[in-house]
Amino acid sequence: MRHARALIATALVAIALMTGGSKLSRLSDAEYAHYRALRVFMEEDARKDWLKLKTPEARDQALKDAGLWDKFYAHNDEVRQQIVEGDVRVGWTRDMVYMAWDVPFERKRLTGREAQRSELFVYRFQLDKEGVATPVVNKGVDYKGVGERQIELLVDDDVVVEMKEKDRWE
């Protein structure tokens, strides 16, 4: 599963670079890491406005003003690195998973569990010829790849309690 997560992280970085263009290329590695993690909590206009800010200090302050800074920086260096690499683990919170992999392809409420709120997060990834996994974010989009991977997270009271990896979508 670790190899699959590394491939997923590589694909996420590539997608972000393709969609952000030159404005992302001027960010330092640290700035890019927290942008990549926190953009899931920002509307598209807020992301564009953030990228237009001229200095790292202005961009950092904007994240602090929006209440997003601590979502990422409340974690220690090791956990932040795992988030950036997409190395999702049992025990992580919903926000940590979202920072690593974005929102799930599908979410299902579960009943009959001891938790107050139980959900199944379904993440789908398309594999290319080199085995790099690209997240599938839109239902109904025709993805061209040579393989599939699905990772399901069982989330009780906003904490991942179980992970299952499958070699195909269900």
Side-chain angles (χ1 to χ4, degrees):
M1 185 179 281
R2 189 165 191 72
H3 178 68
R5 287 187 233 157
L7 294 174
I8 292 165
T10 302
L12 291 171
V13 169
I15 288 170
L17 289 173
M18 290 185 301
T19 60
S22 64
K23 290 186 179 180
L24 285 178
S25 65
R26 68 186 165 120
L27 302 178
S28 69
D29 289 345
E31 231 185 337
Y32 176 74
H34 65 233
Y35 168 72
R36 222 283 295 126
L38 295 172
R39 68 192 171 121
V40 68
F41 304 110
M42 302 165 75
E43 298 293 329
E44 185 175 347
D45 288 342
R47 280 182 283 201
K48 288 178 183 178
D49 291 344
W50 185 85
L51 287 168
K52 288 178 187 175
L53 295 171
K54 300 292 183 203
T55 66
E57 295 79 16
R59 290 187 290 272
D60 290 352
Q61 189 60 51
L63 292 174
K64 290 172 185 174
D65 292 345
L68 297 176
W69 184 263
D70 287 337
K71 282 186 180 287
F72 187 66
Y73 284 100
H75 304 289
N76 66 40
D77 291 343
E78 181 182 344
V79 172
R80 287 196 312 266
Q81 187 62 35
Q82 291 167 346
I83 288 169
V84 169
E85 292 173 357
D87 190 10
V88 173
R89 297 168 179 232
V90 169
W92 276 26
T93 66
R94 169 196 306 264
D95 283 353
M96 293 166 74
V97 173
Y98 280 17
M99 285 189 284
W101 287 350
D102 210 319
V103 296
F105 179 81
E106 185 177 0
R107 282 184 1 194
K108 300 176 185 175
R109 275 304 280 271
L110 302 175
T111 59
R113 296 187 52 82
E114 290 186 27
Q116 288 185 0
R117 180 179 180 94
S118 196
E119 294 178 285
L120 179 69
F121 291 178
V122 177
Y123 285 90
R124 288 183 176 175
F125 301 90
Q126 184 75 53
L127 303 175
D128 69 12
K129 293 176 195 171
E130 288 79 39
V132 174
T134 302
V136 175
V137 294
N138 295 318
K139 295 179 181 180
V141 175
D142 183 24
Y143 289 87
K144 307 270 190 261
V146 297
E148 303 170 341
R149 176 152 297 121
Q150 180 168 298
I151 300 176
E152 297 176 351
L153 306 178
L154 181 57
V155 180
D156 284 344
D157 297 326
D158 291 332
V159 175
V160 177
V161 295
E162 187 178 320
M163 297 177 67
K164 291 181 186 174
E165 186 171 343
K166 300 178 179 183
D167 289 333
R168 62 187 170 112
W169 299 343
E170 293 181 358

